[in-house]
Amino acid sequence: MNEFLNRPIRFMALAFAMLVLLIACQTTPQSQSPTTVTPSVTPTVTSSVAVVAAPSGELRAYPAQLPPLPYAHGALAKAIDAETMKVHHGQHHAAYVTNLNQALEQQSNLQDRSVEALLRDLNSVPESIRTTVRNNAGGHLNHTIFWKLMSPNGGGEPTGAIAQAITQTFGSFDKFKQQFNEAGGDRFGSGWVWLVRNSQGQLQITTTPNQDNPILEGSYPLLGNDVWEHAYYLKYQNRRAEYLTNWWNVVNWPEVNRRLQIASK
């Protein structure tokens, strides 16, 4: 008789225990492997950092477009011959644009981003196309800046804010040119030599390999020279130092001053 009466009690106790166990399993955190957190798709940046390639805004990544040269092919003959400009702009820069568009053709989630945003957040780019985007978005950005940093009416010594900043940082314009040319000459293989405003707000001479841009290191490019062989070989062959020296005859100092003003905001 007692055994019969105790059955409901034992059943209720067993049901209660199972309910407690179920709740515990649902609320106890499960062991998980570490999660890699990638930066935001649109990283927060100040406007002075955002505008890198053009005064009107960031450079469109898709569809990327080859910008026209702001002068004739032979206009920079004091430093660069017409045939080099035709090949450099019409073939090399054009290839970066084509390759970037092909890489992003199937990436609808990346197509509304700028070149600068892609380069600042490469971890968000699929690994299968990451190197392609880095190289070709960088090449597109670098050359878009480069064409504007030169002018048929360029050359001479800088004036205005950039002249004062260079003197304060390097002692004189001549010392700055010497250090800039040495850095460009010492850049092994293909790459760029730059004058940047770094993350501490200081002017600095730096170099980057391949088509990397200083924004990858958190710096703002003020002045840059392309030391890939395709930039000078038709005229100078292996005489990179001569190319670096002659290039100062076409530097567009008003554009450098404009870039310094943007970076200093």
Side-chain angles (χ1 to χ4, degrees), residues 164-217:
Q164 183 178 1
I166 285 174
T167 299
Q168 288 178 345
T169 303
F170 302 99
S172 70
F173 176 57
D174 286 339
K175 291 180 180 178
F176 161 67
K177 279 202 306 183
Q178 180 181 354
Q179 293 180 40
F180 191 94
N181 287 353
E182 288 176 352
D186 291 342
R187 176 75 250 178
F188 184 78
S190 300
W192 292 73
V193 55
W194 304 93
L195 173 67
V196 302
R197 188 174 189 268
N198 63 27
S199 57
Q200 290 75 44
Q202 303 166 332
L203 294 194
Q204 178 184 351
I205 295 172
T206 187
T207 67
T208 56
N210 302 315
Q211 290 297 347
D212 283 357
N213 187 279
I215 63 172
L216 292 172
E217 303 168 352

Side-chain angles (χ1 to χ4, degrees), residues 35-49:
T35 301
T36 301
V37 179
T38 57
S40 168
V41 171
T42 51
T44 303
V45 294
T46 62
S47 60
S48 63
V49 174

Side-chain angles (χ1 to χ4, degrees), residues 10-257:
R10 288 200 301 270
F11 176 78
M12 292 177 63
L14 178 60
F16 180 75
M18 292 179 64
L19 179 62
V20 171
L21 180 61
L22 177 62
I23 294 174
C25 290
Q26 290 179 334
T27 57
T28 301
Q30 301 298 307
S31 175
Q32 296 179 347
S33 58
T35 301
T36 301
V37 179
T38 57
S40 168
V41 171
T42 51
T44 303
V45 294
T46 62
S47 60
S48 63
V49 174
V51 181
V52 176
S56 59
E58 293 185 298
L59 188 63
R60 186 174 182 177
Y62 187 87
Q65 296 181 341
L66 179 68
L69 285 176
Y71 34 72
H73 288 116
L76 305 180
K78 290 182 290 185
I80 305 172
D81 60 289
E83 189 61 28
T84 293
M85 290 299 297
K86 289 178 184 178
V87 174
H88 198 170
H89 176 263
Q91 296 185 34
H92 288 280
H93 190 174
Y96 299 132
V97 169
T98 298
N99 293 339
L100 179 60
N101 284 333
Q102 290 177 348
L104 298 180
E105 189 173 9
Q106 304 300 323
Q107 305 294 327
S108 58
N109 59 315
L110 300 177
Q111 291 175 358
D112 62 344
R113 301 179 65 187
S114 68
V115 167
E116 293 93 327
L118 285 174
L119 292 174
R120 291 195 185 100
D121 190 14
L122 283 169
N123 286 335
S124 69
V125 178
E127 188 174 358
S128 60
I129 62 168
R130 190 174 301 159
T131 298
T132 299
V133 169
R134 178 173 185 162
N135 290 340
N136 291 282
H140 182 31
L141 177 61
N142 289 350
H143 286 85
T144 299
I145 297 170
F146 185 53
W147 310 132
K148 296 178 182 179
L149 287 171
M150 299 182 292
S151 168
N153 302 316
E157 296 198 4
T159 59
I162 189 62
Q164 183 178 1
I166 285 174
T167 299
Q168 288 178 345
T169 303
F170 302 99
S172 70
F173 176 57
D174 286 339
K175 291 180 180 178
F176 161 67
K177 279 202 306 183
Q178 180 181 354
Q179 293 180 40
F180 191 94
N181 287 353
E182 288 176 352
D186 291 342
R187 176 75 250 178
F188 184 78
S190 300
W192 292 73
V193 55
W194 304 93
L195 173 67
V196 302
R197 188 174 189 268
N198 63 27
S199 57
Q200 290 75 44
Q202 303 166 332
L203 294 194
Q204 178 184 351
I205 295 172
T206 187
T207 67
T208 56
N210 302 315
Q211 290 297 347
D212 283 357
N213 187 279
I215 63 172
L216 292 172
E217 303 168 352
S219 296
Y220 187 96
L222 302 175
L223 177 67
N225 193 3
D226 188 347
V227 295
W228 281 63
E229 285 189 343
H230 65 235
Y232 62 85
Y233 201 82
L234 290 182
K235 181 173 182 177
Y236 298 97
Q237 287 79 51
N238 64 331
R239 304 188 305 276
R240 182 190 287 185
E242 185 180 345
Y243 160 70
L244 287 165
T245 298
N246 288 345
W247 181 74
W248 295 104
N249 294 320
V250 295
V251 171
N252 185 0
W253 290 113
E255 173 66 8
V256 183
N257 262 313

